[in-house]
Structures are given as C-alpha cells and as structure tokens.
Amino acid sequence: MHIDDAGTARQLGSRARREEIVRLATTTGLASVEELAATFEVTASTIRRDLAQLTGDGRLARTYGGAMALVAHPETSLRQRTGEAYAAKRGIARWAAAQVQPGETVLLDAGSTVGAVAHELRTTVPLTVATTGLTVLEALADVDEVHVECLGGTLRHLSQGFVGPLTEAALERMTFDRVFLGADGVTADSGICEAGLDQTRLKELMARRSQQVYVLAHAAKLGRRPFHAWARLPEPWTLVTDDAAEPAALAPFLAAGVAVVVVDQQGRAEQP
C-alpha cells in the first residue's frame, strides 16, 4: 500500500488497488470489505467489484464480508519465533513477571514470550506454576522452590505446547491468580487469533480459570488476523505490548475498554 507521511492511503488505480488487496490478504490472511474500503478511500461497491474480479481470476477466495488468500498463512515454529522481536519480548516478560507475587499460583501458556516470563520468574519464590508449554518446563525444572504442574495432553510440535481433552480436563481441576497468554495475533473485537481451534478453545478455558488475564503480544501482532480460529476473552483483560506499538494500533483496544500496558525493553511501563 502507498502510505503518505500522514499515514493515509493515496488513491490508487484499479489495477494497483487490486494488487494491494491481494498483498494484504496474503499478509494478514483475511481482508474485509469495510476495512478495504476505508484503507483505499473508495466505496464498498468498488471493493466488491475488485474482489469479484480477483476471485474470478483465481487470485482470492471469497468469504462472508470479504476475501481470503488462497494460500493459507503459514504457522511458524517456536524455534523460528524465538528470535523475532527478541528485545521487545524480554521487556514484556520483565513487566509480566514483576506482577507476580511470591506464593501465587499462576498459569503460563506455551510460546516464546511466555517462555521468557518463566525465566524471569525463577527468583519469585515460593511459587506454583502450571503450564502447557515445554519452554516453561525447561526454564523452571531446576528451581526447587517453584512447584510446577505440567498440564499434559497432545503435543503440538510447532508450538511446543500441549492441547486437547487431557489438558482441558487438568485445567478444570485448578484455579489461578493470573494467566499469561501468548498470541499469533490479537484484535480488540475478536480476541486471540491462533492456527487451530484446539489452541483457541484451550486459551478460553485458561482465561476462565484465572482471576487476572494478560495477553502478551509485541507490536507486530496487534490487529493481525493470520488464521481463522479465535479465542474470545472474558472481560476484563490486559494487553501487554512493547513501545513500538503505534497509537492507531492501540486505539481499538482502549476504545473497547481493554487495559493496555506499553513497556520498554527494560520492562518499564509507559503511558499508552
């Protein structure tokens, strides 16, 4: 998309606009008529004609209210994600760990950012940690004063986390002071986006079993819709992100009443 200094989309010709629509659908996984019309400053009817043309050309697949890329958005492995936005994740992890008090029982999701939280919690003792993630188990396995509950189940090799009915059954027997959830994408209206329904169902259950819910997502994940499975979060919940997040990306969350915490690389909170 061509963006001017003020951050608004310049008017494009129909051919260039359609190319940008394909690029956006491929990047985010989904493109809605309303969002595309606002982005390109054209009418919804114009966007519908563009989508009809692109669908007829075999470049997009129509969905209710929009379109999606024909090639599924790829899910990256935990190993690939660990090096992404490393400094931002460390800052988020430091802030998150600082919220936990000795003696609490906390629930940690799978994922690279939440795995970083586990490293920061090694000195917050005594503590009880339940987790679905192998990275958390590795980080805390040798800390005697941290009691660790492994919520076993079916291992997802890409995410290095457990899912499925055995994991859910274990969760039903526990409650938690706090839960820290990771996300492939997060939006104010739909919640957490993940690659599979087994993941989103589990995250919803994790949130329901916890008194305080935190979603840890660096700036690049805000507003992203890479997949078609969603976890709806009970209110209230807190979004924790890094200081690279633009005000426009934070605005929908603030408008929806989500508590937003923006932190720097040292884990210090800033005004969103």
Side-chain angles (χ1 to χ4, degrees), residues 106-110 129-134 136-137 148-152 162:
V106 298
L107 177 57
L108 299 184
D109 197 4
V129 173
T131 186
T132 59
L134 292 184
V136 174
L137 295 176
V148 179
E149 297 284 355
C150 176
L151 304 175
F162 295 104

Side-chain angles (χ1 to χ4, degrees), residues 37-74:
T39 296
F40 296 107
E41 300 177 353
V42 296
T43 66
S45 296
T46 298
I47 293 297
R48 290 191 184 96
R49 287 194 293 272
D50 287 339
L51 296 181
Q53 179 69 50
L54 292 168
T55 303
D57 292 343
R59 303 188 65 191
L60 290 180
R62 286 301 300 269
T63 66
Y64 180 78
M68 61 179 286
L70 289 174
V71 178
H73 197 82

Side-chain angles (χ1 to χ4, degrees), residues 117-133:
V117 176
H119 281 281
E120 298 292 332
L121 288 174
R122 289 173 56 86
T123 57
T124 306
V125 295
L127 195 65
T128 297
V129 173
T131 186
T132 59

Side-chain angles (χ1 to χ4, degrees), residues 22 53 107 134 154 160 199 204 215 224 242-243 259:
V22 172
Q53 179 69 50
L107 177 57
L134 292 184
T154 301
Q160 295 289 283
Q199 293 172 282
E204 289 181 350
V215 177
R224 290 190 70 234
D242 68 283
D243 55 8

